[in-house]
Amino acid sequence: MLTISDNDFKRLYTFIRENYGIDLSQKRQLIMGRLSNDIMAKGYPGFTEYVNDILTKATPSDIDGMLNRLTTNYTFFMREEEHFTFFRDTILPYLEQKKKDHVLSIWSAGCSTGQEPYTISMLLKEYFGGKGYWDTRILATDISQNALTAAQNAQYDEESLSRLPAAWKTRYFEHSRDTGLWTVKPSLQSNVIFKTFNLMDPIRFKLKFDVIFCRNVMIYFDQATKDSLVDRFYDATAPGGYLLIGHSESLNKTSTRYDYIMPATYRKQSGS
Ligand SMILES: C[S@@+](CC[C@H](N)C(=O)[O-])C[C@H]1O[C@@H](n2cnc3c(N)ncnc32)[C@H](O)[C@@H]1O
């Protein structure tokens, strides 16, 4: 493994924090462990030359390669199930009453390899299945191209489906005897729109979101980056809409405009 000097480490983590929000200032070993092989394979003699290039003349694909290695994409179906129970029992009945146009707008921000938006999509199908026409598409975004490619391939192993109700496996997935993998059915896939999006960028999507899931993403951000993102999320939330964050995260109660509902669950007032 290559070692990184104090100066190169600082230059690299500052660049990543300023451009992508991810705070790796305490993750020296992770940076060395995840980037060394790639740096050597590309023919760089060491971190200094690599960091020089990243800071001055990196192509989008160089940056993608680095982000693919440095982002943590761990996720699973039905992760933090309390949210999905609240979504099914409280949020969806509220939206069903409120949305006279029958259009729901949901954002999985930091969707990783797709398990979160596909879980939401299954819940929507279950809820709205027999209730007439609802347009319930989900926008799912991430900064990691590898994660988004895996999400669009939509193939998962048996073990990763273990938390889903048994009947959903055959209702929403096709099983391949050859590979042993389960592929999300096209009807569910078409409900999710995947896009590359850096959460540091201005949010310019046309519709306001009824629910934003941004779970286990801001955990890697410093406080100022997090506060600024939550502020932008607020402006992108429809009145009465929700922001759901990871259960190990919390919002700055003094500065956020969202109301606290319960752990990891926040809401914009319906009149605002
Ligand atoms: C641990 S995963 C969380 C996945 C899912 N939300 C969950 O809770 O299981 C965090 C994701 O955030 C993404 N991410 C990190 N920084 C980001 C940024 N600046 N913009 C967009 N996505 C980002 C990572 O690529 C990663 O896929």
Side-chain angles (χ1 to χ4, degrees), residues 50-231:
Y50 173 77
V51 175
N52 286 347
D53 278 5
I54 286 288
L55 266 54
T56 57
K57 57 174 191 183
T59 63
S61 92
D62 295 331
I63 298 285
D64 282 352
M66 180 181 73
L67 293 174
N68 284 335
R69 284 179 178 76
L70 293 180
T71 51
T72 298
N73 306 122
Y74 179 69
T75 184
F76 49 92
F77 286 104
M78 279 290 175
R79 184 176 194 180
E80 302 185 15
E81 198 170 344
E82 305 90 306
H83 271 153
F84 296 117
T85 305
F86 185 74
F87 182 68
R88 183 194 63 205
D89 296 346
T90 303
I91 299 182
L92 288 181
Y94 160 75
L95 292 173
E96 187 186 6
Q97 283 293 314
K98 180 187 166 208
K99 302 295 297 253
K100 301 296 177 212
D101 57 0
H102 288 197
V103 177
L104 291 194
S105 184
I106 292 168
W107 183 11
S108 166
C111 64
S112 189
T113 42
Q115 289 88 333
E116 180 177 272
Y118 289 134
T119 300
I120 301 166
S121 188
M122 286 183 264
L123 283 157
L124 290 170
K125 293 261 182 227
E126 290 291 313
Y127 189 87
F128 288 108
K131 295 187 175 173
Y133 180 75
W134 278 79
D135 181 349
T136 59
R137 267 168 297 173
I138 300 154
L139 173 68
T141 63
D142 205 281
I143 202 174
S144 161
Q145 293 306 320
N146 279 3
L148 287 172
T149 302
Q152 281 164 307
N153 282 341
Q155 293 191 324
Y156 301 96
D157 62 18
E158 176 94 32
E159 159 64 21
S160 63
L161 271 59
S162 61
R163 287 165 177 258
L164 294 176
W168 291 17
K169 263 167 82 168
T170 44
R171 200 172 295 159
Y172 299 115
F173 295 83
E174 272 154 15
H175 186 234
S176 157
R177 289 225 176 111
D178 296 339
T179 61
L181 296 175
W182 295 77
T183 304
V184 177
K185 284 189 179 170
S187 59
L188 202 70
Q189 281 198 43
S190 62
N191 218 32
V192 184
I193 299 157
F194 290 101
K195 274 194 165 64
T196 310
F197 183 73
N198 180 359
L199 289 166
M200 298 292 278
D201 289 344
I203 298 170
R204 294 209 179 95
F205 300 114
K206 272 189 221 131
L207 289 179
K208 299 267 188 212
F209 295 99
D210 298 306
V211 190
I212 299 175
F213 290 78
C214 186
R215 307 183 313 156
N216 308 299
V217 178
M218 292 187 282
I219 200 167
Y220 307 104
F221 294 179
D222 63 28
Q223 194 61 44
T225 305
K226 206 166 113 174
D227 289 351
S228 143
L229 176 58
V230 170
D231 222 39

